[in-house]
């Protein structure tokens, strides 16, 4: 019996050791997979950074009315490969834009097109970006005479040592400032609302007190009783010693007579 127990104990220990080794091997495999994925991500990010260093960005100071991302890409893609385009919308409130769209729909037209003030275009190559800026700046956009951009001109400039990350950082910074201003305006509006509601509640409470007092006085007058009026406290007037003006102080000074002055200075 003792021998059988030892054999069983050894078998259980072997099974436990095998299970432990299998768990360790699985954990090792998972760690290897995680390391492999991290290395792949690092390599991918490195490649993207190298590609980003080769790219060039052009700045468009004026976007013609009616031009959007699609039309701008169609016009500039013939000069080189374009990666990304960003057009900044004009500073117009969304309420005004909705009202303009509603008016245009009532007149029978479609929604008003979005207008843009400036834009940035990222080319896959710096050389293409420089060439496009030197070639097109100041030139007529052209196209067919019926085109709405026929009489417009390009205002494009190559931005040296400027990357797309700089643009995204600036946009994020402006967005954070705008959100902060909006939060301050909302908090100020809430304070004004709370102050107004507080004053309204106070006025309602005072008016209810006055109505109760009037009803009480009316009931006492009808019953023939005397109306009890709360005695008013006398107004306290505090008096402080005041200094006299300078002119009055000079008048009150003792002055020497003319005879004494004549005797001192030998006057006649």
């Amino acid at each position: 019996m003792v021998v059988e127990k030892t054999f069983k104990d050894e078998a259980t220990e072997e099974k436990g050791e095998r299970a432990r080794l299998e768990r360790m091997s699985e954990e090792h495999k998972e760690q290897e997979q995680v390391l492999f994925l991290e290395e792949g991500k690092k390599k991918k990010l490195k490649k993207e950074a190298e590609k980003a260093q080769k790219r060039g960005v052009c700045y468009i100071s004026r976007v013609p009315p009616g031009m959007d991302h699609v039309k701008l890409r169609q016009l500039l893609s013939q000069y080189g490969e374009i990666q990304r385009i960003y057009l900044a919308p004009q500073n117009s409130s969304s309420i005004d834009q909705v009202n303009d769209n509603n008016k245009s729909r009532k007149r029978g037209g479609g929604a008003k097109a979005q207008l843009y003030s400036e834009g940035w275009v990222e080319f896959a190559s710096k050389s293409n970006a420089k060439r496009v800026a030197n070639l097109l700046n100041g030139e007529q956009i052209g196209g067919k005479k019926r085109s709405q951009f026929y009489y417009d001109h390009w205002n494009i400039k190559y931005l040296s040592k400027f990357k797309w990350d700089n643009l995204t950082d600036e946009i994020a910074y402006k967005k954070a400032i705008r959100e902060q201003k909006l939060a301050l305006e909302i908090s100020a509006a809430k304070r004004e609302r709370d102050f107004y509601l507080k004053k309204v509640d106070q006025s309602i409470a005072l008016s209810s007190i006055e109505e109760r007092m009037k009803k009480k006085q009316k009931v006492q007058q009808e019953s023939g009783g005397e109306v009890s009026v709360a005695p008013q406290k006398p107004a306290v007037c505090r008096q402080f010693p005041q200094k006299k003006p300078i002119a009055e102080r000079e008048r009150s000074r003792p002055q020497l007579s003319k005879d004494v002055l004549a005797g001192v200075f030998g006057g006649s």
Side-chain angles (χ1 to χ4, degrees), residues 11 35 58 71 100 111 128 153 161 166 185 187 223 228 237 261:
L35 292 173
C58 288
K71 294 176 182 177
D100 293 339
N128 286 342
H153 291 76
K161 298 180 181 180
N166 303 125
E185 290 176 358
S187 62
S223 61
S228 61
C237 297
L261 291 174

Side-chain angles (χ1 to χ4, degrees), residues 60-122:
I60 300 174
S61 61
R62 180 185 176 274
V63 180
M67 183 174 286
D68 56 3
H69 305 77
V70 178
K71 294 176 182 177
L72 185 60
R73 186 178 288 274
Q74 289 176 356
L75 291 170
L76 295 179
S77 59
Q78 56 185 339
Y79 299 100
E81 184 182 355
I82 295 175
Q83 295 293 327
R84 288 171 285 192
I85 296 175
Y86 175 74
L87 299 179
Q90 286 187 357
N91 295 328
S92 59
S93 62
S94 58
I95 297 173
D96 296 337
Q97 189 175 356
V98 169
N99 293 333
D100 293 339
N101 292 341
N102 293 334
K103 287 179 183 178
S104 60
R105 288 194 187 98
K106 288 179 181 178
R107 293 170 185 168
K112 191 176 180 181
Q114 174 67 54
L115 300 177
Y116 301 96
S117 58
E118 55 187 357
W120 289 263
V121 182
E122 185 186 34

Side-chain angles (χ1 to χ4, degrees), residues 93-245:
S93 62
S94 58
I95 297 173
D96 296 337
Q97 189 175 356
V98 169
N99 293 333
D100 293 339
N101 292 341
N102 293 334
K103 287 179 183 178
S104 60
R105 288 194 187 98
K106 288 179 181 178
R107 293 170 185 168
K112 191 176 180 181
Q114 174 67 54
L115 300 177
Y116 301 96
S117 58
E118 55 187 357
W120 289 263
V121 182
E122 185 186 34
F123 287 88
S125 174
K126 291 181 182 179
S127 58
N128 286 342
K130 292 179 183 178
R131 184 170 57 84
V132 169
N134 294 328
L135 183 65
L136 297 182
N137 188 33
E139 296 294 328
Q140 189 175 352
I141 296 177
K144 296 181 180 179
K145 286 190 175 181
R146 294 182 180 179
S147 175
Q148 56 182 339
F149 313 120
Y150 182 76
Y151 294 103
D152 289 310
H153 291 76
W154 289 107
N155 294 289
I156 187 168
K157 180 183 179 182
Y158 172 71
L159 301 177
S160 179
K161 298 180 181 180
F162 185 87
K163 299 302 176 185
W164 199 260
D165 293 338
N166 303 125
L167 177 62
T168 53
D169 293 341
E170 185 179 357
I171 292 169
Y173 177 70
K174 289 181 179 178
K175 184 179 179 181
I177 291 174
R178 187 167 58 251
E179 289 178 354
Q180 188 176 5
K181 288 182 179 178
L182 183 62
L184 291 173
E185 290 176 358
I186 290 171
S187 62
K190 285 182 178 179
R191 285 197 298 270
E192 291 179 0
R193 183 201 61 187
D194 296 338
F195 179 76
Y196 175 75
L197 293 175
K198 184 179 179 181
K199 292 298 181 183
V200 169
D201 294 338
Q202 289 179 357
S203 65
I204 291 171
L206 291 173
S207 61
S208 63
I209 291 170
E210 289 178 358
E211 287 179 359
R212 287 199 299 270
M213 291 295 292
K214 288 179 181 179
K215 288 180 181 178
K216 188 176 180 181
Q217 291 176 2
K218 188 176 181 181
V219 170
Q220 289 178 355
Q221 287 176 0
E222 289 177 355
S223 61
E226 294 182 355
V227 180
S228 61
V229 180
Q232 294 183 354
K233 294 182 180 180
V236 178
C237 297
R238 300 180 65 184
Q239 295 182 357
F240 299 93
Q242 303 291 328
K243 292 183 179 181
K244 294 182 179 180

